[in-house]
Amino acid sequence: QVESGGLSISELFRWQSEVALAKQETVVASTNLLELKNVLNNRLAFSLEKDYDIEDIAIDDEVFKIFRNSIISEYVNTTRDISLVSDFLVEMATLSNPKSSYILEQIKAQESQRKLNKSLFYLPNVGLQAQTSQVLLRDGAGSTPISGNSFNNNTWNIGIGIAYPIFTGTERKSNLRKSTIQLDQLNNSKLSIQNDLELAVRSSLYQSVAATTNLEYSKIASKNALENFGLIQLRYAEGDIDITQMIDAQRTAIQAKLRSMVSVYDYLRSQIQLQYAVGYFPMMASENTKQDFRNKFITFINENTSEK
């Protein structure tokens, strides 16, 4: 076509350049996919087959619908809704997140230990001792009691002692101070975890809301870009435009479609991050757990809505 004049030399170079770039991007994408699949298998202790495959998730898939049709996704419509929902999720994260639950149990145990050390600091040592002996058999000379008397075959004694350990008082005081310091450290860790959880919950929720919006707009953009590319193809076939314009329209359509597909994964990732921060995973929860979460959510929203 170049020799016949149907295609200029610049258009040929542009096409060859575009093909080379496409091949390069394909190689990079393929190697990145292999690397990420290997990382995933490593996280799962190489429980997957070596050449396992990944199934794409679309907006119409059941997995996506489970996330999209949750009670929180249904409720969030305005900025005020986002504020209320984030407050509820922060409260739930403080109670159910594994890190938060673990530190709370440690604090309870340390508080009990501190109370015990404080009691021991003021209480004396108390000792109780008892002893008994029983003669099972008497035989030989003198084994028969004198008339009118009898042997005492059973003897026992009991004793109690109370002592205040003067010299161990320093050790008890040290144990009390140690338990107090450890309790303060745990409370500081609790505060730090709560702050981190609140930040994680609110950030994940905001990202989820943004990803939800991006789903709709990226889908519209992809559709329009594909329609525009179809029109450009017709104009190129009629000779109204050169190949450069068609290539640009094609690349725009491909990038818009890619952004639309990635937006689904961005939404799912933000949802998983939010669920991890809260410590509640609907896909793995029982129906009773789901209903309990729903009841708590509705109660919280109703109470805070009525107050305001």
Side-chain angles (χ1 to χ4, degrees):
Q1 291 187 2
V2 174
E3 294 178 355
S4 63
L7 185 69
S8 67
I9 189 67
S10 62
E11 289 180 297
L12 176 62
F13 289 155
R14 174 60 193 275
W15 176 256
Q16 291 176 339
S17 175
E18 195 69 24
V19 171
L21 290 174
K23 289 181 178 179
Q24 180 184 8
E25 291 175 355
T26 302
V27 171
V28 172
S30 299
T31 54
N32 288 341
L33 176 61
L34 292 175
E35 180 182 1
L36 292 174
K37 288 174 67 175
N38 188 55
V39 171
L40 175 60
N41 207 358
N42 176 266
R43 294 290 188 272
L44 299 176
F46 293 97
S47 59
L48 302 175
E49 297 180 0
K50 184 176 181 181
D51 297 326
Y52 72 93
D53 200 5
I54 300 255
E55 183 178 352
D56 289 335
I57 297 178
I59 294 180
D60 299 330
D61 289 342
E62 192 65 28
V63 174
F64 180 80
K65 291 180 181 179
I66 293 176
F67 287 95
R68 193 69 187 274
N69 297 333
S70 66
I71 182 174
I72 294 178
S73 299
E74 293 174 2
Y75 186 85
V76 176
N77 296 310
T78 65
T79 305
R80 184 169 176 272
D81 295 336
I82 297 175
S83 178
L84 282 175
V85 171
S86 61
D87 290 342
F88 168 75
L89 294 179
V90 168
E91 183 177 303
M92 292 298 297
T94 304
L95 298 175
S96 60
N97 186 276
K99 291 182 179 180
S100 181
S101 300
Y102 175 72
I103 200 70
L104 288 175
E105 292 300 323
Q106 282 190 313
I107 289 176
K108 290 180 181 179
Q110 194 59 43
E111 286 177 342
S112 300
Q113 183 63 45
R114 183 178 179 278
K115 290 180 180 178
L116 178 60
N117 290 336
K118 190 174 182 180
S119 300
L120 290 175
F121 184 74
Y122 297 104
L123 294 177
N125 291 334
V126 179
L128 179 65
Q129 182 178 10
Q131 182 178 355
T132 182
S133 62
Q134 176 72 40
V135 177
L136 301 177
L137 178 65
R138 293 181 183 275
D139 192 19
S143 60
T144 304
I146 301 174
S147 179
N149 294 306
S150 62
F151 290 120
N152 186 8
N153 294 326
N154 180 269
T155 59
W156 60 272
N157 60 73
I158 186 171
I160 184 172
I162 300 177
Y164 191 85
I166 299 176
F167 297 103
T168 60
T170 303
E171 181 181 354
R172 292 186 173 188
K173 185 176 182 180
S174 176
N175 290 335
L176 178 60
R177 292 182 59 186
K178 181 179 178 181
S179 61
T180 302
I181 292 174
Q182 289 176 339
L183 182 60
D184 290 340
Q185 290 175 338
L186 288 173
N187 283 321
N188 289 334
S189 299
K190 172 188 172 183
L191 181 60
S192 177
I193 289 176
Q194 289 178 341
N195 290 337
D196 292 342
L197 282 177
E198 181 171 357
L199 177 61
V201 169
R202 296 188 188 278
S203 297
S204 299
L205 181 61
Y206 298 153
Q207 291 173 7
S208 180
V209 173
T212 303
T213 305
N214 190 37
L215 279 171
E216 305 298 334
Y217 289 119
S218 62
K219 183 178 180 180
I220 295 173
S222 177
K223 180 181 178 181
N224 292 337
L226 287 173
E227 292 179 352
N228 178 66
F229 177 56
L231 296 176
I232 293 297
Q233 283 182 305
L234 293 176
R235 292 186 61 188
Y236 177 76
E238 295 173 356
D240 292 341
I241 59 176
D242 58 25
I243 195 172
T244 300
Q245 292 172 289
M246 189 184 73
I247 291 175
D248 290 339
Q250 182 185 44
R251 175 171 287 275
T252 300
I254 293 175
Q255 291 176 344
K257 184 177 180 180
L258 180 61
R259 283 193 296 268
S260 179
M261 296 172 62
V262 171
S263 67
V264 176
Y265 291 95
D266 287 340
Y267 175 80
L268 295 178
R269 184 172 63 250
S270 64
Q271 282 287 314
I272 292 174
Q273 290 174 342
L274 178 61
Q275 292 177 10
Y276 177 79
V278 176
Y280 170 70
F281 297 90
M283 293 187 66
M284 296 182 291
S286 63
E287 290 301 324
N288 291 335
T289 302
K290 293 179 183 178
Q291 188 60 42
D292 180 63
F293 183 88
R294 184 182 184 88
N295 293 339
K296 290 179 180 178
F297 177 78
I298 294 175
T299 301
F300 180 89
I301 295 299
N302 291 336
E303 291 177 351
N304 287 272
T305 301
S306 59
E307 289 177 1
K308 298 179 181 181

